[in-house]
Structures are given as C-alpha cells and as structure tokens.
Amino acid sequence: MSNKISLPSSFFSLNSLLVFLLFVAPTIQYRVELGSFSFALMEPLVLIVSAILLYYQISSRRKLIILKDPLVFLFAAITLWAALIRPWSLDQRHGLSDIRDWVIPLLGFITLITTIRHGWRHWITIYIILVWLSALIGIYQHLTDSFRPFIGELAAYKTGFAISPEEDRLVRASFTAGFFSHPNEFAMYLFTGLMMAIGKYFKHKQMIFLAVFLLPIVLSLYWTFAKAGLLVMAGAILFIWIERRVKPNWTLLVSAIFGIVIGVIILWQVALRVPPALLVTFWWRVGLWQTALEVIRAYPTILIIGNGMDLFALQAYYNQPHNLYIYLLLDYGLIGLIWAFALAWHLWQRGIHIRAAGSMVAEPLLAAMWIGLLGYLVVGLVESNLIGVELRMIFMTATACWTGLAREIKEKIQGEAKPGRAIYVG
C-alpha cells in the first residue's frame, strides 16, 4: 500500500517559501528589546513558519510524523536538560531565555527533516547561494570598512594579522560580519556553506564554480579574521582531499590521527617563532579557561546542576569562555559535556557508516558536509559556537541538510532495489 501523499499544487510554492525562510532566519542576528524582555528576530519567524508547516502535516496526514533519528533525540535531550536546570540560574531571565534558545532551533530542525523528504540537493544549493550572497556583502564590508548594521559593540575592536610596530600589538582590522553581531559567528556560517560548496565542486569539477562561488566565500571567511575558523578550514580542506583518495575507513582514521599529530607539532613550532602579538588572542582565551576552572573548583555543584555561566561572568574579563566544551560544562554540568562528546561520536560513527555504504563516493556533498560538521565542533575548542540561538540554528540546519541528503540517497537505493516500493515524498 502506498504511503505517498498528494499535495495541492498551490502548496508547493508556499511550502518552498516557508522552508526558504527557515534557511534565512538565523542569518540576521538582531535582537528586539522590549524592556526586561528581548528576543532574537529569528525566534518568531521560526515559530510561525514551523507552526504552519507542522499544522499542514497534521491536517493532511491526521498525525505528525517525527523521524526516529538519533539526532532528534540528542538535540531534544539537551533541550530537556536545559528546561530542567536553567530556570534556577542566578540570572533567571538569562536562564529562561536559554531554554527558548534550544527549543526554537530544535523545532526548526524537526520541521526541516519532516517537511523535506526529497530534493535536499536543491535546498543545499539554496543554502550555498545564501552563504555566497552573505560573503559578497562581507567583501563589501571589508573593502569599505562600513555597513555592519547589527554588529555588537565589542566586535568593533576586532583585530586582524597586522602588527603595530610602535605598540607591538595587533591593530584593528576591516572585518566581514554580514548581518551577524560578531565576525567569528559569521565565520561559522561561512564555514558550513564553504564545505557544502566544496562538496559541489568535487562533484562537478567546474572551474567557473570555483572562481565564482568558492573564491568569494573563502575571501569573506579570511576577512572575518576568525583565526581558529581559518585554521580549521585549512585542515578540513586537506581532510576532504585525503578522504576522496583513501578508501578503507581504518586508513582514513589513521590518516586523521596522523594529520592531527603533525598539525599540532607544526602549530607548536610556528607558535615558538611568530611575534608574540599574534598569540595575544589565544592567551586571552587561556586566561578565560583558567577562570572557568577556578569557578568550578569554588562551586563544584556546577558539575551536577550547571548554571555556572553567570558566576563565571561575574569573575572573568569576558562574559563567556570562548570554548564550547567549557561553556557546556559551566551551563549544563557534566551532562552538557557528555552530550557534546556523544554528539561528536555520533556524527563520526554515522559518517563512517555512510562512507562504508559507498554513499560518499557517489555524492561528495555527504563527505564535505560531514567533515564540516566535525570541523564545527573542532572550532569549538576556542569558540563557544553553540552559545546563541542563531548559532544553534545554523548548526542544526547544516546537520539537517547532511542527514536529510543521506536519508534521501538511502531511500532511493532501497527503492531501486525493491521495485514497486513507494517512497514518501513530503
């Protein structure tokens, strides 16, 4: 019996517009302030769009189907844990807001993977185009040192790689930020799109695509001056090049471990030889990590019930530790840290299984996005890149694209292997 659903033709245009808005939502990082209450611009947009799409699913199928994907459970788990502990934060307003900052991206993630069942390549192409347009805006920002409508106050002091000889320090740079509040957050968005674009390039090997799409994204990412993002970008590009040439999974794992060891040695040797001013931002982060550990030692209950970020902000010279794993440990305790490791392990293992099935050979997009998601977590060693609602939505959207495409390819293979089996197209 076929489970294919017939949709009215008028729905497809509305459906596409609404899904498109979900992709656009986290790219405009603006908060609406209403006295003691504030919300990100993307929050009502994602809520409204998700409500319409999910309502249509319920009304047309008489039920809501949520895929039993491990990532749904992982994202739901951290959301539930946040709902249990964050209301008791020292700053209750911040704690309650944090719950909302998990619920809304989770809702967007579920909406995407349940609404789009076929056509993920189409939506990934749209994602790349949106990143490319943002990159062009970023290039304009760099060239003119202007037009940063939503930039935060502290981000205005972003430094590049140039050193002032008189003061022996890094000087302010003309950075790219798109419509984000900080160039480092813009860099994470560019990075996810860049990895998708690299996957497209490996699929078609068109030089015009390399020049027109890849180059602007790389330039805009470089001009964010997000140093960790740039290092991980270089490592990710090298890793995908190796992945395309290494067949057995165990050989890829050995290559990855060997590459990490060599990379650490190279970075250590470079650090010993570069001007000290270039390492100021790194040591600045180390100071924040030390403060975080001191806070945890002073308040060991943080390991159980979290809610340590407000205590950290009272003692540190910056209000967040610039480390994803320390941030999760502070705000969610050991449960948060275990969740991060479980997420990383699941993404690695799932990618290995997809690769073993041969899907990454036929579709380089899967390999590139897989490496991009792992790279996102690597950048987390020096950035708290899941700390806000937009960054969480960006990561979950990129994850939805990867898992959705993998599922679509798997269903197609199964459908071809079993003639007459209907594949649901939603």
Side-chain angles (χ1 to χ4, degrees):
M1 178 178 171
S2 172
N3 61 347
K4 184 175 179 180
I5 295 176
S6 298
L7 299 177
S9 58
S10 60
F11 177 74
F12 286 103
S13 58
L14 176 60
N15 178 56
S16 297
L17 175 61
L18 293 174
V19 172
F20 175 77
L21 290 176
L22 286 179
F23 279 84
V24 172
T27 67
I28 302 174
Q29 202 171 59
Y30 176 71
R31 294 198 72 84
V32 178
E33 301 288 343
L34 299 173
S36 61
F37 178 73
S38 71
F39 59 89
L41 184 64
M42 66 157 277
E43 294 183 56
L45 180 59
V46 173
L47 283 173
I48 293 169
V49 168
S50 297
I52 295 172
L53 289 171
L54 295 178
Y55 171 77
Y56 186 84
Q57 291 181 41
I58 294 171
S59 63
S60 61
R61 306 179 204 169
R62 304 299 179 188
K63 61 182 177 179
L64 175 63
I65 298 175
I66 299 178
L67 298 177
K68 294 180 180 180
D69 190 295
L71 284 166
V72 173
F73 295 108
L74 275 169
F75 291 141
I78 191 64
T79 303
L80 177 61
W81 181 243
L84 290 173
I85 66 169
R86 297 298 281 129
W88 287 270
S89 171
L90 188 63
D91 181 351
Q92 286 193 334
R93 176 188 171 189
H94 176 250
L96 294 173
S97 176
D98 186 57
I99 298 171
R100 206 172 66 235
D101 289 351
W102 280 112
V103 169
I104 291 173
L106 173 62
L107 180 62
F109 175 78
I110 290 173
T111 302
L112 282 172
I113 64 173
T114 57
T115 300
I116 307 172
R117 296 302 299 272
H118 273 185
W120 275 105
R121 290 181 181 84
H122 163 76
W123 288 109
I124 290 169
T125 299
I126 289 177
Y127 192 108
I128 294 171
I129 292 172
L130 287 172
V131 171
W132 175 70
L133 291 173
S134 295
L136 294 180
I137 292 171
I139 291 172
Y140 175 82
Q141 291 170 334
H142 168 74
L143 295 177
T144 64
D145 197 12
S146 65
F147 188 60
R148 302 181 183 97
F150 307 128
I151 200 68
E153 182 180 352
L154 294 176
Y157 299 98
K158 179 71 175 179
T159 58
F161 302 112
I163 301 174
S164 170
E166 296 83 9
E167 303 177 16
D168 191 29
R169 64 177 179 85
L170 294 174
V171 298
R172 180 191 172 279
S174 177
F175 57 85
T176 66
F179 295 127
F180 286 71
S181 64
H182 198 284
N184 289 5
E185 298 177 3
F186 184 49
M188 295 313 306
Y189 177 60
L190 293 174
F191 176 71
T192 59
L194 174 64
M195 296 310 296
M196 293 180 186
I198 289 173
K200 283 278 189 181
Y201 171 73
F202 273 105
K203 178 74 173 180
H204 303 290
K205 298 290 182 67
Q206 295 176 341
M207 292 304 296
I208 188 170
F209 181 84
L210 180 68
V212 174
F213 281 91
L214 273 174
L215 183 59
I217 297 175
V218 170
L219 281 175
S220 193
L221 179 55
Y222 174 79
W223 282 324
T224 62
F225 299 106
K227 302 169 184 64
L230 292 171
L231 285 173
V232 172
M233 176 193 73
I237 292 173
L238 176 61
F239 190 48
I240 191 174
W241 182 83
I242 294 172
E243 191 279 333
R244 303 309 297 166
R245 286 157 178 78
V246 172
K247 299 302 179 184
N249 282 333
W250 69 267
T251 307
L252 180 65
L253 177 60
V254 171
S255 300
I257 295 172
F258 181 75
I260 290 171
V261 172
I262 294 299
V264 169
I265 293 173
I266 292 173
L267 287 175
W268 179 256
Q269 292 300 314
V270 169
L272 294 175
R273 290 165 173 77
V274 299
L278 286 175
L279 299 176
V280 166
T281 55
F282 173 73
W283 294 118
W284 179 80
R285 283 167 166 78
V286 171
L288 292 173
W289 305 339
Q290 291 173 339
T291 301
L293 295 178
E294 291 169 3
V295 169
I296 293 171
R297 278 195 294 266
Y299 303 93
T301 54
I302 289 173
L303 297 175
I304 301 173
I305 60 173
N307 288 314
M309 277 292 288
D310 295 321
L311 293 168
F312 170 82
L314 291 174
Q315 300 186 33
Y317 45 79
Y318 198 80
N319 62 2
Q320 57 103 339
H322 275 75
N323 182 294
L324 172 62
Y325 306 96
I326 293 176
Y327 155 67
L328 290 171
L329 182 63
L330 284 169
D331 243 2
Y332 309 102
L334 286 172
I335 294 294
L337 190 60
I338 292 169
W339 176 83
F341 292 149
L343 175 63
W345 178 250
H346 172 75
L347 291 175
W348 172 261
Q349 284 293 99
R350 190 165 181 170
I352 288 295
H353 290 152
I354 292 172
R355 192 172 188 271
S359 297
M360 288 187 182
V361 175
E363 183 49 84
L365 258 175
L366 286 175
M369 287 192 291
W370 174 51
I371 294 170
L373 292 173
L374 294 173
Y376 198 104
L377 299 179
V378 173
V379 176
L381 291 171
V382 289
E383 295 289 349
S384 304
N385 51 3
L386 284 179
I387 200 170
V389 64
E390 292 91 358
L391 287 174
R392 291 169 186 174
M393 184 70 182
I394 287 169
F395 181 75
M396 291 190 195
T397 300
T399 305
C401 289
W402 180 60
T403 57
L405 180 59
R407 186 184 68 240
E408 181 180 343
I409 291 173
K410 182 179 179 180
E411 288 180 351
K412 181 180 179 182
I413 293 172
Q414 291 175 343
E416 291 174 349
K418 299 180 179 180
R421 177 181 175 181
I423 299 176
Y424 168 77
V425 181

